[in-house]
Amino acid sequence: MARGRLDAAVVERAAAVGDRAGARLGHGTELTVVALAGATGSGKSSLFNALAGAPLATAGVRRPTTARPQACVWGEGAADDLLDWLGIAERHRLAGGDSRLDGMVLLDLPDHDSTEIAHRIEVDRLVELVDLLVWVVDPQKYADAALHNRYLRPLRSHSAVMLVALNRIDELGSPDRAECLIDLKRVLAEGGLAQVPVRVISCRTGEGLEELAGILRERVAARRAAVDRLAADVTAVAEAFGTFCDGGRARKGDSGLDAVVDSLAEAAGVGLVADSVERSHRRDSALRVGWPFTRWLKRARPDPLRRLHLTSDREARTSLPPPTPVQRARLETSLRGLAEDRAGSLPDPWPEVARRRAAESLPGLPRTLDRVVATTETKMRPPRWWVVGGTVQYLLALTVIAGVLWLTALFGVAWLRLPDPPTPEWEGFSYPTLMLIGGGLMGIVVAFCARLAARVGGRRRAARVRRKLRARLTEVAESDIVAPLSEELEAYKGFCDAVGRATGRPSG
Ligand SMILES: Nc1nc2c(ncn2[C@@H]2O[C@H](COP(=O)(O)OP(=O)(O)OP(=O)(O)O)[C@@H](O)[C@H]2O)c(=O)[nH]1
Ligand SMILES: [Mg+2]
């Protein structure tokens, strides 16, 4: 859940712990790997020999003495695979030794502070892998900064799997001994390692060795060191992850979504579409119910919807102008706003992760928006009264034409000086005149009323299309923006729950 979202180095460290745990546990917990680590000359090899009861390792005066780690296995347990994994070639087996230590794989490490850089690299590698660490220090160098700053303090969450052996104690007189021990414990406590057991030993006189061996026996018999060490690794990593979880909760709800849909609608040209729907409706109305004698004027002007290529869904592409830079910028701002609203109170880097994810859809949005507009039905069934109105206009037009023909006939008769045919009259107006003027006037009145009605109808249709488009744009916002964003918030929650479990603390 953290990969790709949080700092890669921290994530890889955590992944490495996971891999290591898998590998170590694959070798079982029958064997306990105990490493003797410390500065050159502190007496690691001497202690190794003392515990083994045999001069297996070279303990020397020339520094550094040990260049490569070696292992000694107590008992009959098969240790080859484990030692292969640890990368230790030099191996001894101690059969017939202290059987209470059976299952212990003791490692004599090179020093960590010598002139040989390779020694340090080898120590660093093995310190990561072993189950139990015995830090061997001597009265001269027990407070060495290299040891404490580079190893002990960073391992403070590993107190349960570490021991400190203050060796060469025979070199000190009794007042100095007590003082040295107190000071060593003080330095350890300062580094957060007050819990680590400290034993005073001397490989030369054998003092304290039995007690140290006793502790090792207990640990080896419990067969818990491997798991404890891995648990400590997990805790350390989880604590490093803790900073990514100390913060507010992710917000749910719809706030911020409206602003996104607004900016989507603007970028999609919803206003222009609705406007065209209204004008197209008025034009259609005029063509069907307008005054027939002036319809050709309307017909000459194109349908606004057709101009936008909105009359057929086959192409799924409109001729609407693409979003302007201003609209794009506004869209981006609204996406940021949404991410900020949902993830703004989370600890870093989650707000940025959320913002990035919300903005991911941005490049594809213009195309999506255009498809939405193209596939939203904008043409609607013509209202039924258009048929009635159209028929009335047709009949009125016929009346006018009949009146004109009639008058023309009368005019022809008069011109030819024929006797006037009887022409019916009403209130002093002849029928053909009434037909021409009355039909014409009524046609204009009907057209005018139709125009008023079309204005209202057009506005209603525009509103309906606007609502429809908004609903579909809301779907787009949900699927293309909110869903990915929610995925990040889920990841945050899952991640922090896991971190909480790993650190043994409930997550925030
Ligand atoms: N006086 C005294 N000398 C000791 C004691 N333990 C080890 N030495 C001596 O200290 C020197 C170094 O001992 P080593 O065991 O080689 O030390 P090391 O930690 O293995 O050193 P590197 O292999 O160089 O890292 C040797 O000369 C030992 O004889 C002790 O308890 N008392
Ligand atoms: Mg040595």
Side-chain angles (χ1 to χ4, degrees), residues 83-114:
L83 287 169
D84 285 347
W85 177 65
L86 289 166
I88 292 171
E90 205 172 323
R91 308 162 183 190
H92 309 277
R93 188 173 285 277
L94 206 67
D98 183 349
S99 66
R100 290 168 302 173
L101 279 172
D102 277 3
M104 178 164 82
V105 178
L106 189 65
L107 306 185
D108 178 22
L109 301 192
D111 61 290
H112 61 74
D113 63 343
S114 76

Side-chain angles (χ1 to χ4, degrees), residues 371-384:
R371 199 165 37 232
V372 164
V373 174
T375 54
T376 300
E377 188 59 73
T378 49
K379 272 281 180 206
M380 286 169 221
R381 220 162 41 78
R384 214 157 297 153

Side-chain angles (χ1 to χ4, degrees), residues 85-165:
W85 177 65
L86 289 166
I88 292 171
E90 205 172 323
R91 308 162 183 190
H92 309 277
R93 188 173 285 277
L94 206 67
D98 183 349
S99 66
R100 290 168 302 173
L101 279 172
D102 277 3
M104 178 164 82
V105 178
L106 189 65
L107 306 185
D108 178 22
L109 301 192
D111 61 290
H112 61 74
D113 63 343
S114 76
T115 46
E116 296 289 332
I117 189 92
H119 291 190
R120 207 180 78 200
I121 291 170
E122 187 67 347
V123 172
D124 288 357
R125 186 180 73 80
L126 284 164
V127 161
E128 295 270 287
L129 300 180
V130 302
D131 303 333
L132 195 62
L133 278 160
V134 179
W135 295 98
V136 183
V137 298
D138 63 50
Q140 269 130 55
K141 290 203 284 181
Y142 66 86
D144 185 30
L147 172 70
H148 289 272
N149 294 342
R150 197 134 61 73
Y151 295 98
L152 292 177
R153 286 178 187 179
L155 284 168
R156 62 186 169 278
S157 51
H158 289 63
S159 293
V161 289
M162 297 208 294
L163 299 177
V164 173

Side-chain angles (χ1 to χ4, degrees), residues 272-288 298 301-308 310-311 378-380 386 454 457-459 461-462:
L272 182 55
V273 173
D275 199 46
S276 302
V277 165
E278 188 179 338
R279 280 187 295 130
S280 170
H281 180 84
R282 291 213 310 255
R283 178 179 178 274
D284 284 354
S285 166
L287 286 179
R288 283 160 178 261
K298 282 277 169 193
R301 272 195 268 153
D303 183 350
L305 284 180
R306 195 174 297 272
R307 270 208 350 229
L308 297 177
L310 283 176
T311 49
T378 49
K379 272 281 180 206
M380 286 169 221
W386 282 5
R459 230 172 278 151
R461 288 201 163 190

Side-chain angles (χ1 to χ4, degrees), residues 257-323:
L257 189 60
D258 264 355
V260 172
V261 177
D262 283 347
S263 60
L264 284 177
E266 200 189 325
V270 168
L272 182 55
V273 173
D275 199 46
S276 302
V277 165
E278 188 179 338
R279 280 187 295 130
S280 170
H281 180 84
R282 291 213 310 255
R283 178 179 178 274
D284 284 354
S285 166
L287 286 179
R288 283 160 178 261
V289 204
W291 204 43
F293 301 102
T294 51
R295 276 186 203 174
W296 59 273
L297 278 173
K298 282 277 169 193
R299 213 180 291 278
R301 272 195 268 153
D303 183 350
L305 284 180
R306 195 174 297 272
R307 270 208 350 229
L308 297 177
H309 284 122
L310 283 176
T311 49
S312 83
D313 335 346
R314 255 163 293 138
E315 282 177 58
R317 170 171 271 149
T318 72
S319 300
L320 280 163

Side-chain angles (χ1 to χ4, degrees), residues 44-45 58 65-66 108-109:
K44 300 178 293 295
S45 300
T58 319
T65 309
T66 308
D108 178 22
L109 301 192

Side-chain angles (χ1 to χ4, degrees), residues 186-206:
R186 179 188 61 79
V187 179
L188 286 172
E190 273 173 13
L193 294 150
Q195 306 294 321
V196 177
V198 181
R199 290 293 172 271
V200 175
I201 60 165
S202 165
C203 294
R204 180 151 297 169
T205 64

